[in-house]
Amino acid sequence: MENWSVDQVCNWLRQRNLGELVPKFREEEVSGAALLALNDRMVQQLVKKIGHQAVLMDLINKYQQQKRGLETASPKFPEAISGKNLKSFFARYKTLQWTSSYALPDFPYDVKCILAEKKCPDHSMRIRIIEFLQADMTKYLEGSLYPNSQQYNIVVNALLQAYPFLDEDGNGFLLWKRALKDRFKYVRRPIEDDEQVLRNKCKFGHRRGQTRKSSFAENNPDDVQVQVEAKPVHPEGSAMDVHINWLKQEYMKTQRNWKEVDNRMNVTIEIRRKMISDKAPLKDILRLFPFLRCPYQLFREFQLLTQMDIYKKTVEILEIYSENILSLSVVRNNPINITLQETLKQHTEEEILKYMKMTAACLLLPDVFGDDSSLFAAVNEEVKVVTPVLEVKNPFNVNSCEFALYMEREELAQLDDCTMALAALVAAFHVFDIPCPKRIHRTLNFLESLVFEVRSPASLP
C-alpha cells in the first residue's frame, strides 16, 4: 500500500463503498504513503461524515497493526506484507464487511439445548434467537442499526445452514428474515427522532416513516371495526370478525406471531377470495387483510392458490437466464445495460456482481420481448400506471437500492431485492386477479410459463 499511486488509492476506496471520498482524495493527492500517514485531525479535515471517518481510520489502523505483527514475526522477510499476507488481511476485512462468510453468535445455553435437540422453537424462543442475531449484527456493523438486504441474507442463510430444521415448509428463509428486520425496526423505534436517523432517512429516500399508516384502517382502526361488525361479509360474520380484527391488531405490532398469522390467513382465505372475485376495492381488501402487504404473505397466498413456490422459482429463473438476457443484442445499447457495465468495473466481489447482473436482467425483460417497460418497472421515476408495477430506485447501488410494489399508484409492499420484486409482481396479478395488460403480456407469459412449469415454456427471442 505504501507504493500505491493516487489512482490505486481511489480504486481501493471504491471497493470499500467509500467512493464519495474519491474527489477529495484526488484533490489533496493522497497516495498510498500519504494514506498511511494520516492522523485523526487530517482524516477529520478530509472526510466530513463521522461514519466514513471511523471506517477509514479502522482500515488504516488494522493495516498498520497487521504490518507491525508481520514485521515482528519475520524480520528477515520485510516483503511478507505483500502478496499472500496482504490478501489474507483484506479477506478478514471483507468478512467484517459482510462480503464473505458470517459466523453465528454463541447462543445462550437454553437456546443451544433446543437447537441441539433439533426441536422447532416456540414463539418466545424464536424471539430470543432473533434478539441475539440482531445484537450480533449490530456488533459487526459497529453500532449501526441499518443493515442492508445482503447482510440480512447472509445472517439468515448462516442460521438455516447450521440448523436446517428451522426452514419450515421451505418458507423459513423469508420468515426468519422478516422477523430479524422487525427486530431492527423495534430497536430503532426509540431513536426515530434522532437527527442522524432523520438524515439517513432523507438520504436514502425513506418514505415508509412518512406514510406508514396511510390507509384508513391504520389511521382509524376503531372505525373499521365498527364497519366490519355492522356489515359482515361472510355468513359466519362474528367468527370472521374475530380473525380479521386479530390480524389487523397483529399487523400493527413489531414482534409478530407469524405462525398464528398463517393460521388465521388460512381460515379467512374464503372471504378474501370472494372479495377479490367480486372486485372489491383494493383499499378495502388491504384494510381487512393488511398482511397482504407483506411479501411473505403475498407469496404464501400465491402458493395456496397454485401450489407453487413463486419466490424459489423466480430465484431459479434469474440465475438461469440472467447471463443469456444480458448477451442479447436487443439490450446491448439499453441505458440499463450500459449503466450495468460501467458499475461492474467498480466491483470485484462475486456476490455483488451476480446481484447486479440479476437486477439488470430483471429490468431488461420487457425490452427483450418488445413490451412496454413502463408497465413493468419505473426506474428512478414516478409510478404512473394503475396495474401492478415495480418502483426501483438506484438499482445498481448496493447500499441504497430500493424496490417496491405498487398497485393503483399506491405502494403495496417494500421489497428486499430484484428477485423478491419480480416474484411479487407476478404474484400480485394472480392474488388480486388482475388482467394482464396486452403491452406487457409476452414478458409475464414468459415468467408464468417457467413458474408453472408448463410442458412447452416460452423462450427468449
Side-chain angles (χ1 to χ4, degrees), residues 23-290:
K24 187 66 176 178
F25 272 61
R26 284 193 183 280
E27 179 185 344
E28 300 294 339
E29 298 183 357
V30 179
S31 63
L35 177 68
L36 295 176
L38 293 177
N39 57 33
D40 291 346
R41 183 179 58 81
M42 295 176 182
V43 170
Q44 289 173 5
Q45 291 177 343
L46 270 174
V47 183
K48 298 302 180 186
K49 295 181 180 178
I50 295 176
H52 288 166
Q53 292 175 11
V55 172
L56 187 61
M57 287 304 300
D58 184 62
L59 288 173
I60 294 172
N61 291 336
K62 286 182 177 177
Y63 176 84
Q64 291 174 337
Q65 289 172 6
Q66 179 76 8
K67 181 181 177 181
R68 286 195 295 269
L70 289 169
E71 288 174 347
T72 303
S74 54
K76 295 182 180 180
F77 300 98
E79 69 275 14
I81 189 63
S82 61
K84 184 176 180 181
N85 286 315
L86 184 57
K87 290 181 180 178
S88 175
F89 162 68
F90 282 126
R92 283 194 292 275
Y93 170 66
K94 287 182 179 181
T95 300
L96 184 63
Q97 294 299 317
W98 306 84
T99 55
S100 185
S101 59
Y102 166 81
L104 288 171
D106 189 19
F107 289 115
Y109 179 74
D110 57 336
V111 176
K112 286 181 179 178
C113 291
I114 294 293
L115 296 176
E117 295 172 4
K118 297 185 178 181
K119 291 182 178 178
C120 188
D122 58 18
H123 182 58
S124 61
M125 188 60 68
R126 282 173 175 269
I127 292 176
R128 282 175 59 73
I129 294 173
I130 288 296
E131 286 175 347
F132 272 84
L133 290 178
Q134 180 268 320
D136 193 59
M137 287 179 71
T138 303
K139 179 189 71 176
Y140 270 76
L141 289 166
E142 298 180 344
S144 171
L145 297 176
Y146 290 89
N148 60 36
S149 179
Q150 184 186 17
Q151 291 161 355
Y152 280 120
N153 292 345
I154 289 172
V155 173
V156 176
N157 279 328
L159 179 68
L160 297 185
Q161 287 175 8
Y163 308 105
F165 60 92
L166 296 178
D167 189 9
E168 303 168 18
D169 302 324
N171 294 320
F173 179 86
L174 289 173
L175 276 173
W176 286 98
K177 183 174 180 179
R178 181 73 264 173
L180 190 54
K181 294 181 76 172
D182 286 346
R183 177 63 189 175
F184 268 98
K185 288 180 183 177
Y186 175 77
V187 174
R188 288 197 300 262
R189 179 177 290 178
I191 62 169
E192 281 191 351
D193 295 328
D194 181 80
E195 184 179 351
Q196 183 63 42
V197 174
L198 294 175
R199 282 202 299 268
N200 283 341
K201 288 185 175 184
C202 181
K203 176 181 176 182
F204 295 114
H206 188 88
R207 299 176 307 284
R208 286 175 290 178
Q210 301 165 12
T211 60
R212 187 175 183 86
K213 299 182 180 179
S214 58
S215 73
F216 180 83
E218 292 170 321
N219 282 323
N220 305 276
D222 295 333
D223 293 347
V224 177
Q225 183 176 358
V226 171
Q227 290 181 11
V228 172
E229 292 175 355
K231 186 180 178 181
V233 285
H234 190 275
E236 300 175 1
S238 59
M240 287 298 104
D241 289 348
V242 171
H243 294 301
I244 290 172
N245 287 332
W246 186 92
L247 287 168
K248 289 190 296 181
Q249 293 169 9
E250 191 71 8
Y251 182 74
M252 302 301 294
K253 295 180 181 179
T254 301
Q255 297 289 344
R256 295 161 177 165
N257 186 342
W258 288 104
K259 187 172 183 180
E260 186 62 21
V261 170
D262 291 348
N263 293 335
R264 295 189 186 243
M265 289 293 282
N266 284 349
V267 172
T268 57
I269 187 170
E270 184 179 336
I271 182 175
R272 193 161 57 252
R273 300 318 305 169
K274 188 175 189 309
M275 290 181 68
I276 292 173
S277 64
D278 290 344
K279 303 302 179 185
L282 176 65
K283 63 180 181 179
D284 291 342
I285 298 170
L286 296 177
R287 183 184 304 161
L288 302 183
F289 304 101

